[in-house]
Amino acid sequence: MSSGVPVQSRSILALPVSVVLAATLAACGGGSATADESPAPVPTKAASATPTPTVEVLSATNLVARLDGALKAQTSYDMTLDMTGAATFQGTASMQVVDGAQNMAMRMTMPEVGDMEIRFVGGMAYLKIAMLGEQFFQIDPNDASNPLAADFGGMTEQFDTGLSGMETAITSVEPAGPEETIDGVTVQPYTVVVDTTKLTGEAAAKLAEAESVAALPATLTYTYWVGEDDLVRKVSYELIGMTTTMTFTNFGAGTPVTAPAPEQITTEMPF
């Protein structure tokens, strides 16, 4: 059983962009004057403006480090996932870091399966499939005897923007039109082109497996909407007739992730 979650959503979004501060001009004081004297002019020196710091534009050489750095500095965030095309998939998720460990909760709807919920808390996975009842099946990713364990092993990895491992394969990063506003945040869309022939064998195999394709196309084109803080607010791409779109909100204030209550958990697998 595949988790059905694309690598970008498992990898999703501490190098925040420097805040540009306006320089404050120094005020000049004037001399005092008596009632029958005209004030003497006070020489003043023209204030020189402090140079505005510039931020290096995103490029193929710095994209992964900056976006992953900004995301990994966050303690929590929420996201939505929407896939359309030959098949459909909708989901929402929350990510949270507690005591250095990453927790995740995801709700999704899949054809022929219906509603599902996955929680990953404290190194343990919990799976609920509505058509099988209301209990969560507890899955230890390290339990070799459980056939579902391998599908959840990747959840122990640190979340990133989905570009890790593609550093040498990114051939182009270019602004894609004017700035936009997403969830009240000004973002710049970028077109990111990946030459899959330049991926390492491991990275290519991982991406192909995650996307459920036998072979990757020669190039993959993503659109990333990025804020001034280097945080990704939206990602979209097309592959084998499917369009995948993810949005990210509530950085630092994501929905808390908790394990199911003990009475909601079972270790008896239904498969």
Side-chain angles (χ1 to χ4, degrees):
M1 174 181 173
S2 172
S3 62
V5 182
V7 67
Q8 281 81 7
S9 62
R10 276 189 280 164
S11 303
I12 317 291
L13 68 217
L15 295 172
V17 175
S18 301
V19 178
V20 179
L21 300 178
T24 302
L25 299 179
C28 297
S32 61
T34 61
D36 54 353
E37 289 183 329
S38 299
V42 179
T44 60
K45 182 178 181 180
S48 58
T50 302
T52 301
T54 58
V55 177
E56 185 181 3
V57 298
L58 290 175
S59 66
T61 57
N62 66 23
L63 181 74
V64 176
R66 282 177 54 177
L67 300 194
D68 278 355
L71 182 63
K72 290 175 182 178
Q74 303 303 306
T75 57
S76 65
Y77 57 93
D78 297 326
M79 66 166 286
T80 64
L81 171 64
D82 185 70
M83 298 176 66
T84 58
T88 60
F89 179 102
Q90 290 82 37
T92 61
S94 297
M95 317 295 179
Q96 184 179 35
V97 178
V98 179
D99 297 329
Q102 295 182 103
N103 299 334
M104 182 198 77
M106 186 170 190
R107 294 180 176 85
M108 66 203 82
T109 301
M110 300 180 66
E112 300 180 2
V113 177
D115 294 339
M116 296 176 60
E117 183 174 353
I118 298 173
R119 299 188 197 182
F120 192 83
V121 182
M124 196 68 68
Y126 304 91
L127 170 65
K128 182 172 77 171
I129 303 176
M131 63 186 298
L132 298 178
E134 292 301 312
Q135 286 197 302
F136 286 84
F137 302 102
Q138 179 175 294
I139 303 167
D140 183 348
N142 299 313
D143 183 2
S145 67
N146 190 324
L148 299 181
D151 291 309
F152 292 90
M155 291 186 178
T156 61
E157 300 173 1
Q158 189 170 18
F159 296 113
D160 55 47
T161 55
L163 293 171
S164 294
M166 297 187 187
E167 290 87 342
T168 59
I170 297 174
T171 59
S172 174
V173 176
E174 297 292 341
E179 292 182 338
E180 301 177 20
T181 301
I182 297 179
D183 197 32
V185 177
T186 300
V187 296
Q188 172 63 57
Y190 289 90
T191 298
V192 179
V193 179
V194 176
D195 182 347
T196 62
T197 65
K198 296 182 179 180
L199 291 170
T200 64
E202 180 181 359
K206 180 179 178 181
L207 182 57
E209 179 184 5
E211 298 292 353
S212 301
V213 295
L216 294 170
T219 60
L220 289 172
T221 301
Y222 301 85
T223 302
Y224 275 71
W225 284 259
V226 184
E228 292 183 350
D229 50 9
D230 278 1
L231 288 172
V232 176
R233 305 287 173 166
K234 182 179 176 181
V235 180
S236 183
Y237 66 99
E238 294 185 9
L239 182 63
I240 57 169
M242 297 287 295
T243 299
T244 299
T245 302
M246 290 164 283
T247 59
F248 306 88
T249 59
N250 302 326
F251 288 102
T255 304
V257 178
T258 59
E263 62 270 18
Q264 295 179 296
I265 299 173
T266 180
T267 57
E268 297 182 7
M269 293 294 105
F271 309 105

